[in-house]
Amino acid sequence: MSGAIERSEKWVMPTYRRLPVTFVRGEGVYLFDDQGGKYLDFVAGIAVAALGHAHPAVTDAVARQAGQLVHTSNLYYTEPSGRLAEALCDKLGWPDGKVFFASSGAEANECAIKLVRRWASDRFGPSRFGVIATQGSFHGRTLGALAATGQPAKWEPFGPMPGGFSHVAYNDTEALADALDGTQSGMLVEAVQGEGGVVVPSDGYLASIRKICDEHDLALVVDEVQSGTWVARLEPVWEPGDPRAPAPPPAATLRIRQERRSPVHLIVAAVLVALPALVQIGRYVWYTRRANR
């Protein structure tokens, strides 16, 4: 066992089951361990290192930014954040969108839940606070996002979970319609379930849940931190006119990967993009969406 493994086993909280290997550097699609072993990296930092390891454009951008300005807090304005937010809304086709930057997908989903509840409370009153999610989903490990996650085994060590969350079967629009009782504020759904087993939506499923949410005045939040298949793509998933293609949701959470074509030199984990129907300046009521770009 290497010194790095021994030290981590002693001092780092065991929140993940790690393989007994210590990586010391990367190059392109390869990783190298402390014993000189070379590995083809199919994980890519869990879909983060889209350009590979030590890409010269990313390395140069990070070095230049670190040499100029690293952090100022959100109390002030900086040039890159506004440019990145503008570029995201432009890519997504939301000219009136708003962006909230977060450090993780869980934070983006937490913000989405809060915004949806606040929007519903302002519009319908405090009785509409419930959020519907799907069985087998994964939305994060913070307490609210974990309650939205449709995996009871993950709740048990930390229960009781926060109230207001219910779950229906994925790919089952009838189950969704039957679950509505007038107390829900919105629905949180993955365009493709990742941790649940790479479960792909059936034809028409996403369009149908969008229609149901519209008919019942529910905010629809699409978690695309892993998949990026609905709204968080640079290229369309469906051809124009394809009956499977849904209208964009009013809200989504997204991850931004390392992107060489990005107009600004930033790497952020997750963002919230909001449409004007949920935007009330100064009241923190925004639609949310997560980016895989």
Side-chain angles (χ1 to χ4, degrees):
M1 182 180 293
S2 71
I5 294 177
E6 290 181 349
R7 189 173 298 108
S8 294
E9 289 292 315
K10 181 176 180 180
W11 297 107
V12 178
M13 190 175 294
T15 54
Y16 285 86
R17 296 178 181 176
R18 303 190 187 195
L19 298 175
V21 60
T22 301
F23 292 119
V24 294
R25 70 182 184 91
E27 182 178 341
V29 297
Y30 295 103
L31 286 169
F32 299 86
D33 67 19
D34 57 355
Q35 304 299 312
K38 182 178 181 180
Y39 302 76
L40 180 60
D41 183 10
F42 285 99
V43 179
I46 313 181
V48 172
L51 295 180
H53 300 283
H55 191 289
V58 176
T59 301
D60 179 64
V62 172
R64 284 190 288 108
Q65 187 62 51
Q68 181 178 353
L69 186 65
V70 174
H71 179 66
T72 63
S73 86
N74 57 6
L75 298 177
Y76 317 105
Y77 295 97
T78 59
E79 180 67 24
S81 60
R83 293 173 59 198
L84 178 56
E86 179 184 23
L88 284 169
C89 291
D90 179 63
K91 292 288 187 184
L92 299 171
W94 289 355
D96 298 321
K98 299 287 186 181
V99 175
F100 170 81
F101 293 105
S103 299
S104 67
E107 289 174 86
N109 282 332
E110 289 279 357
C111 187
I113 294 166
K114 291 166 67 177
L115 295 177
V116 166
R117 284 188 169 184
R118 179 62 185 269
W119 167 76
S121 178
D122 285 353
R123 187 173 180 184
F124 306 111
S127 63
R128 289 188 57 167
F129 63 89
V131 174
I132 296 180
T134 59
Q135 297 167 2
S137 61
F138 182 78
H139 299 293
R141 298 183 184 276
T142 53
L143 205 56
L146 187 62
T149 292
Q151 300 183 48
K154 288 184 166 57
W155 308 336
E156 293 174 0
F158 313 109
M161 288 290 101
F165 295 92
S166 58
H167 299 82
V168 297
Y170 190 76
N171 268 333
D172 190 337
T173 54
E174 290 186 6
L176 171 61
D178 290 342
L180 300 179
D181 60 9
T183 65
Q184 290 86 11
S185 59
M187 180 179 186
L188 177 61
V189 64
E190 293 169 285
V192 172
Q193 287 193 335
E195 187 171 309
V198 191
V199 181
V200 178
S202 57
D203 291 353
Y205 174 66
L206 297 179
S208 295
I209 62 174
R210 173 63 197 272
K211 184 173 183 292
I212 291 172
C213 287
D214 287 347
E215 290 174 346
H216 292 82
D217 289 318
L218 299 176
L220 175 60
V221 179
V222 180
D223 180 346
E224 299 194 41
V225 169
Q226 292 296 330
S227 63
T229 53
W230 193 344
V231 288
R233 293 175 61 92
L234 296 180
E235 300 82 21
V237 180
W238 295 277
E239 294 297 325
D242 191 319
R244 296 174 298 173
T253 49
L254 315 166
R255 172 182 294 162
I256 301 178
R257 296 173 180 159
Q258 296 174 356
E259 174 66 59
R260 181 176 57 187
R261 292 173 290 174
S262 176
V264 292
H265 301 299
L266 287 179
I267 301 172
V268 295
V271 299
L272 166 66
V273 179
L275 290 183
L278 285 186
V279 173
Q280 299 182 25
I281 300 300
R283 300 196 66 183
Y284 307 101
V285 182
W286 299 341
Y287 279 111
T288 62
R289 169 181 182 176
R290 203 180 199 170
N292 274 1
R293 283 292 171 271

